[in-house]
Amino acid sequence: MKRLRPAISQLFAALHRYKIPQILIPAAVIAFIYWEGKNEFQKIDWTGTLHTLHHIKPPTVLFLFGASLVAVAAVSVYDFVLRRHFRIPLGSWDTFRYSWVANTSNSVIGFSGIAGAAFRTYFYRKRGIPMQTITASIAFLSTITITGLSLLSWAGLLGLLPIHSAIRVHLWTLYAVWATALYLPGYVVLQRTSFYAKWLNRNLPKMNGGTIAASIVASGLEWVCAGLCFWLIGTCLLPGLPLADALGIYTVAAITGLLTMAPGGIGGFDLTALAGLQQLGYPADKTAAVLVLFRLMYYLFPWMIGLAMAASDVAMDRDRTIDPDDENFENGLNRWQRIWHFPNQFKLVGELGVWSLGKLVFASGVLLLVSAALPGLLYRLRLIDELLSAPLMRLSHHVSVVIGLLLIVLSWGISHRVKRAYQLTLFLLCAGAVFTFSKAFDIEEAVFLLIVALLLWISRDRFYRLSASFSREKAALWAALTFVLAYVYDIIASGIHPALPHPLRPETEFIWFINPKLNGLVAITGILAAWLLLSLILLLRPSRLVHKMNPQEEQAKLRLFLEREEGNYLTHVLFAGDKHFFWASNDRVLIPYAIIRNKLVVLGDPLGQQERLSEAIQECQRFADLYDLAVVFYQVSPRNLPIYHENGYRFFKLGEEALVPLEGFTLSGKRMANLRTVKNKFDREGYRFDVLQPPHDPQLLEKLRRISQKWLQGKKEKSFSLGWFDPAYLQLSPIALLMAPEEDLIAFATLAPSYDDHGSISVDLMRHLPDTPNGTMDQLFVCLLEWAQAEGYETFNLGMAPLSSVGQAQAAIREEKLAHVVFKHGGYWYGFKGLRKYKEKFHPDWEPRFLAYPRTVSLPLLLVELVRLIARRPKKNHGALDVISGRNDSVLPPNGTSKS
């Protein structure tokens, strides 16, 4: 137990550093709210809610949308107050835009105001505003925003706003209202203290009464306008909803939402508002429709406008860097070229980002499913009954469901910039617009799909990738998501049965449109058709990472390359055949790699001319980007870190490699006494050491195989950075043997030359029988070192000690400190400390090895993937040379063993 205490304390420290409590606490609050309110949510007829939303008249939607924009725009008064007090050099339009982006993002993303502060800091810093002013303005804003809600709380407590309907269900909300009400007088007292002046005012102009009053008025305006927006939406769906009651319910719901610390107060706000409106006697499905519409109008749509404003700001910055001379070239374009390239002038749309387009495509698929599940407006059904036949409408209905499911799955390809996904999605969006229009004259859905199609077409240059990694896990996830959405479609379609009016013709066949059994059949048919089509697309897609050369040609090319270029400690593992080769800089640089999920993992440093490494890395990055892969370099040396750094890489220390200098190696002296004793013992008892050069006798390899299988004890081989027992691979290097006095083979080791003109050599496989005498591996290592010294090698590589000397410094990064904890206390899973201590016997020089990874990659996840890559079953991609039969006996790796 005492040994576990340091590990436990380190674990809690790591949890604190990763801010896990800050994530868990809001999640726990949301879970508690859901648990408390799940009965309320289960009472709601969600199909009826969707039916209500679907039948809101377009003029009403436009009116509510305009009112919501006005309410959101009122929040910008904060920033105008800040601009005046802190003398921020911004124009009125810039102030309004920055405020809109920051406030709408803060409402949707949340994180206790961090999102809004981050956007304001970004925009202000870009305009050259001092950081001291930015910090003071954001700090002041964070203290003033609740004052308006505090005013509404006092209005509720004094009886001006009826709040009893909202607090009747959960009496604890009354304490929350009192706490919020007391915030305003507490703030007025605080802002007059020296503490407030020191930490929030700094050396900037002192807060005067006018600024404080204007800020409180701005806060009150924000909350009142939001409450009015809530009331207007409520009156459209809940006839006779009093303004005072709506503001009272909104006040209590907003306070509850603040307590959850969740984005937009999700969960707490909704539960309180639902309970309050139902206490007034309104049905649950109608009140749910009010909340859904309020979330869309006041939160989601303004946030999307904010994203567009942020994108336009980025576009304008880019336009400032454009050379004016480019206009001369533009003037020379003919009319057709001008028309074709006209969408590219809309930088606003282009900067929205492929991520947003992927989500819009996903929303388009969901919209088609919802539209197909809900019956059309009755007056449109009358019109379509006159113009179109029932079979055509039935076909349009079925095809709309299939297209909706296809768009949901294809949204993944859009988010990953896959060109073929873009082409198919563009076609499906246009087709979906046609079929949803012919299904029931759903003009709104058709226009939305066409707008998304236009956005895709404008951003067509962003879709350049040939393919993207699509693992079995992702396929299962998307299949499950598709089934869930199809099931939701079936529930909605089966739960809504509107009565058909008499004006429809008696011979009409509209009964199919609301038949629950038929809707379920449509869902199943849609799933099968969507996944069948996508399966065909995946089967017929261009081969990922196509290799033009066959395995034998690749190996031959590798041997010729190593005749003119130096290798490294990991080069010999390339002959194992489980790695792909990327030839860069006109075949003058070799980058060996393997793929795990969406990572292209390069083994060691690129091989080739040092001055071409940076160019080769960039070429490999461009190649990997075509397939949506991130390039990662595993076990790189310290000398090339500046090259990786200038190409955008971060570093994680993997451990240290034990390099024994052979020039002065000797067993004499006090520090080598233990090894000398072992050597003398084995020599005295008649053990014999020998090194055999290839080609090797197949009977010998069979003996080695039996030793290897006993040493593995049923465990599978590792790969990638390690060699494994493969006869073809073993034929390419010397094998060291240790034999007992009876000439029985008890241990062996394969050697890995570095192809650097006899500069260094490494040990590869080391295996022995289970019942060997103590010191067997010491004897084998000592003999290997003496043999390599006699052969003229300068350095012998004993291999790496993982996580050795990682994270010991106080200023080390968090991941390396966590790795240090694993190194100290992870002996149960892997002998990290024991391996380091064993190699210390030979007094090597320790050289660090690093992992170079892009900043966009999650390091913890990457480390797990690397473990999986090394541990997965060896599988040949290129194939080692078949030299067992003797057909290639004369072909050996260059610089392998010139002395024998």
Side-chain angles (χ1 to χ4, degrees):
M1 187 66 184
K2 292 182 178 179
R3 296 180 60 186
L4 289 177
R5 286 176 182 171
I8 295 174
S9 61
Q10 292 273 6
L11 177 62
F12 278 107
L15 292 176
H16 177 73
R17 285 194 297 268
Y18 281 102
K19 302 184 184 300
I20 292 178
Q22 290 91 321
I23 299 173
L24 292 179
I25 291 175
V29 173
I30 294 175
F32 172 75
I33 291 173
Y34 170 75
W35 181 263
E36 288 291 319
K38 65 178 182 179
N39 292 330
E40 299 294 331
F41 289 120
Q42 289 174 354
K43 294 177 183 177
I44 299 173
D45 180 12
W46 291 105
T47 55
T49 299
L50 292 175
H51 185 265
T52 301
L53 293 172
H54 187 67
H55 286 75
I56 300 176
K57 295 180 179 180
T60 303
V61 174
L62 291 176
F63 169 73
L64 295 178
F65 184 58
S68 301
L69 295 183
V70 172
V72 175
V75 188
S76 63
V77 177
Y78 285 125
D79 291 80
F80 284 96
V81 173
L82 295 177
R83 186 187 69 162
R84 179 179 179 182
H85 177 77
F86 292 103
R87 300 184 180 92
I88 300 175
L90 290 177
S92 298
W93 172 239
D94 288 337
T95 303
F96 178 78
R97 283 191 303 121
Y98 297 164
S99 174
W100 186 289
V101 173
N103 292 319
T104 56
S105 298
N106 195 63
S107 297
V108 174
I109 302 174
F111 296 114
S112 302
I114 295 177
F119 273 104
R120 282 188 174 87
T121 301
Y122 169 76
F123 288 129
Y124 287 1
R125 286 286 290 173
K126 190 176 58 175
R127 298 302 295 268
I129 299 172
M131 196 63 199
Q132 184 183 17
T133 302
I134 298 174
T135 303
S137 61
I138 292 176
F140 171 69
L141 183 61
S142 65
T143 62
I144 203 71
T145 52
I146 308 179
T147 56
L149 190 59
S150 182
L151 286 173
L152 291 179
S153 300
W154 280 113
L157 294 174
L158 296 176
L160 301 177
L161 295 178
I163 60 174
H164 57 277
S165 60
I167 65 176
R168 186 179 301 165
V169 179
H170 300 286
L171 296 178
W172 61 267
T173 54
L174 179 61
Y175 299 102
V177 173
W178 268 108
T180 307
L182 293 175
Y183 180 85
L184 179 58
Y187 172 77
V188 173
V189 173
L190 176 66
Q191 61 89 23
R192 301 180 64 87
T193 63
S194 58
F195 173 84
Y196 187 90
K198 177 181 178 181
W199 292 104
L200 294 176
N201 232 31
R202 306 284 175 105
N203 297 322
L204 298 168
K206 185 179 180 180
M207 290 291 174
N208 51 50
T211 300
I212 298 295
S215 302
I216 295 175
V217 170
S219 179
L221 183 64
E222 173 198 358
W223 294 103
V224 169
C225 287
L228 289 174
C229 178
F230 179 78
W231 171 70
L232 286 174
I233 293 175
T235 55
C236 293
L237 300 176
L238 308 175
L241 177 63
L243 173 60
D245 287 284
L247 288 178
I249 293 172
Y250 175 79
T251 300
V252 179
I255 293 172
T256 308
L258 285 177
L259 293 178
T260 65
M261 297 181 291
I266 189 168
F269 176 90
D270 307 275
L271 180 61
T272 306
L274 276 174
L277 292 174
Q278 291 176 29
Q279 286 293 318
L280 296 178
Y282 294 105
D285 56 335
K286 297 287 186 180
T287 57
V290 171
L291 288 175
V292 172
L293 197 58
F294 180 69
R295 288 288 182 186
L296 292 174
M297 293 294 182
Y298 189 77
Y299 289 95
L300 185 59
F301 292 155
W303 179 58
M304 296 178 68
I305 295 174
L307 290 179
M309 288 182 175
S312 67
D313 192 84
V314 175
M316 286 187 292
D317 287 344
R318 189 173 64 182
D319 289 340
R320 295 188 188 105
T321 63
I322 295 178
D323 188 353
D325 294 338
D326 290 344
E327 296 179 1
N328 298 329
F329 173 77
E330 188 70 20
N331 293 332
L333 295 174
N334 57 42
R335 179 172 297 181
W336 169 247
Q337 289 173 320
R338 289 175 183 271
I339 295 174
W340 179 252
H341 290 285
F342 180 72
N344 292 330
Q345 309 307 314
F346 289 99
K347 303 292 192 307
L348 168 64
V349 177
E351 293 295 337
L352 282 174
V354 178
W355 182 88
S356 300
L357 289 174
K359 301 308 172 284
L360 285 174
V361 171
F362 183 89
S364 301
V366 174
L367 179 66
L368 279 175
L369 292 181
V370 173
S371 177
L374 297 173
L377 300 177
L378 296 181
Y379 75 91
R380 294 182 184 176
L381 289 176
R382 299 190 190 101
L383 178 61
I384 201 170
D385 185 45
E386 297 290 338
L387 299 178
L388 300 177
S389 63
L392 178 59
M393 295 172 61
R394 185 184 299 113
L395 174 65
S396 300
H397 181 265
H398 287 213
V399 174
S400 295
V401 174
V402 175
I403 293 177
L405 293 170
L406 276 170
L407 289 176
I408 288 170
V409 180
L410 284 172
S411 64
W412 177 88
I414 295 298
S415 297
H416 288 76
R417 305 169 184 259
V418 180
K419 187 174 183 180
R420 289 168 65 85
Y422 155 74
Q423 296 168 343
L424 182 59
T425 302
L426 189 63
F427 168 76
L428 289 176
L429 285 170
C430 297
V434 172
F435 285 109
T436 194
F437 183 76
S438 61
K439 170 176 64 67
F441 277 7
D442 289 329
I443 302 173
E444 298 85 354
E445 288 89 335
V447 170
F448 179 80
L449 294 177
L450 291 176
I451 291 175
V452 176
L454 178 62
L455 293 175
L456 272 181
W457 180 67
I458 290 173
S459 304
R460 60 187 180 275
D461 293 337
R462 292 173 172 262
F463 302 95
Y464 58 88
R465 287 181 176 143
L466 302 180
S467 67
S469 59
F470 196 73
S471 62
R472 287 174 293 183
E473 294 83 358
K474 288 181 180 178
L477 177 63
W478 280 94
L481 178 62
T482 309
F483 274 97
V484 168
L485 291 175
Y487 178 68
V488 172
Y489 157 80
D490 184 40
I491 291 177
I492 297 173
S494 303
I496 298 178
H497 309 285
L500 295 177
H502 294 292
L504 292 175
R505 297 198 309 267
E507 65 272 15
T508 185
E509 300 181 36
F510 277 117
I511 189 63
W512 64 268
F513 193 72
I514 58 172
N515 190 328
K517 295 183 179 179
L518 188 57
N519 276 313
L521 180 62
V522 170
I524 296 174
T525 305
I527 291 175
L528 294 177
W531 278 96
L532 176 62
L533 179 57
L534 285 175
S535 299
L536 291 174
I537 293 171
L538 291 173
L539 289 174
L540 298 175
R541 68 178 180 175
S543 178
R544 298 177 67 248
L545 305 175
V546 177
H547 297 278
K548 299 180 181 179
M549 303 180 68
N550 60 42
Q552 288 74 22
E553 290 176 341
E554 283 280 18
Q555 296 286 331
K557 186 175 181 180
L558 173 61
R559 292 195 305 275
L560 292 175
F561 176 80
L562 292 175
E563 289 180 356
R564 65 176 187 270
E565 301 292 345
E566 283 192 357
N568 56 37
Y569 298 120
L570 296 169
T571 300
H572 186 73
V573 186
L574 306 185
F575 289 97
D578 65 327
K579 283 162 280 293
H580 301 287
F581 296 156
F582 178 77
W583 299 94
S585 299
N586 297 322
D587 292 352
R588 297 188 179 185
V589 176
L590 170 60
I591 300 179
Y593 68 90
I595 295 175
I596 180 75
R597 291 187 71 248
N598 61 337
K599 310 293 189 304
L600 188 150
V601 184
V602 180
L603 180 60
D605 296 301
L607 303 176
Q609 300 175 6
Q610 185 73 15
E611 62 273 12
R612 293 180 177 269
L613 293 190
S614 181
E615 173 190 345
I617 291 172
Q618 296 171 24
E619 190 176 336
C620 183
Q621 288 172 331
R622 291 191 295 269
F623 165 75
D625 188 51
L626 292 176
Y627 302 94
D628 194 24
L629 298 173
V631 181
V632 176
F633 290 86
Y634 178 71
Q635 287 196 29
V636 298
S637 60
R639 69 168 184 165
N640 291 323
L641 293 187
I643 297 177
Y644 297 113
H645 177 72
E646 70 183 15
N647 284 285
Y649 283 92
R650 294 181 176 181
F651 307 104
F652 175 83
K653 187 176 180 182
L654 295 168
E656 294 181 322
E657 205 149 28
L659 307 177
V660 180
L662 296 176
E663 183 178 358
F665 177 76
T666 178
L667 291 180
S668 62
K670 183 177 180 179
R671 68 176 189 172
M672 290 293 189
N674 291 334
L675 293 177
R676 188 169 60 250
T677 300
V678 172
K679 179 78 164 50
N680 293 336
K681 172 189 172 184
F682 276 81
D683 290 346
R684 186 170 54 251
E685 293 180 0
Y687 286 85
R688 188 167 62 88
F689 171 81
D690 195 10
V691 177
L692 302 181
Q693 302 295 334
H696 303 293
D697 187 356
Q699 293 182 354
L700 171 66
L701 295 181
E702 184 59 31
K703 292 181 181 179
L704 300 182
R705 181 191 295 278
R706 289 195 292 268
I707 295 176
S708 177
Q709 289 174 345
K710 292 180 180 180
W711 184 84
L712 288 171
Q713 296 180 347
K715 299 177 182 178
K716 66 179 183 179
E717 299 263 21
K718 299 186 184 298
S719 61
F720 188 59
S721 61
L722 305 170
W724 70 88
F725 194 97
D726 177 66
Y729 176 61
L730 266 59
Q731 288 284 8
L732 301 179
S733 64
I735 299 178
L737 308 175
L738 184 62
M739 289 165 285
E742 299 82 8
E743 296 298 320
D744 292 332
L745 191 59
I746 63 171
F748 74 93
T750 62
L751 300 175
S754 299
Y755 308 95
D756 55 357
D757 195 21
H758 259 62
S760 58
I761 193 169
S762 306
V763 64
D764 195 2
L765 302 181
M766 288 196 68
R767 298 183 180 178
H768 59 82
L769 292 173
D771 55 350
T772 55
N774 290 335
T776 297
M777 299 312 295
D778 291 349
Q779 170 71 2
L780 189 54
F781 265 123
V782 170
C783 293
L784 281 173
L785 291 169
E786 291 181 336
W787 173 85
Q789 186 181 46
E791 289 292 313
Y793 288 98
E794 299 175 2
T795 305
F796 192 91
N797 179 17
L798 296 177
M800 194 171 72
L803 304 184
S804 175
S805 302
V806 176
Q808 294 181 349
Q810 184 177 0
I813 64 175
R814 291 173 296 184
E815 290 81 3
E816 290 188 352
K817 287 185 176 180
L818 189 59
H820 181 63
V821 176
V822 176
F823 178 80
K824 290 176 60 178
H825 306 286
Y828 178 81
W829 302 279
Y830 189 90
F832 295 103
K833 293 180 70 175
L835 184 61
R836 165 85 184 204
K837 185 177 180 180
Y838 177 81
K839 294 181 179 181
E840 285 282 8
K841 291 182 181 181
F842 304 93
H843 302 282
D845 296 333
W846 293 98
E847 185 174 289
R849 292 291 178 265
F850 296 91
L851 172 67
Y853 63 97
R855 62 186 68 242
T856 56
V857 171
S858 170
L859 179 57
L861 181 60
L862 174 60
L863 294 176
V864 174
E865 292 171 344
L866 289 173
V867 172
R868 290 182 55 194
L869 174 62
I870 296 171
R872 70 184 180 185
R873 188 177 300 277
K875 181 180 179 181
K876 290 189 177 183
N877 297 321
H878 295 282
L881 292 177
D882 182 12
V883 295
I884 300 177
S885 63
R887 289 177 295 174
N888 293 310
D889 290 351
S890 61
V891 182
L892 296 177
N895 301 328
T897 52
S898 58
K899 300 178 182 179
S900 176

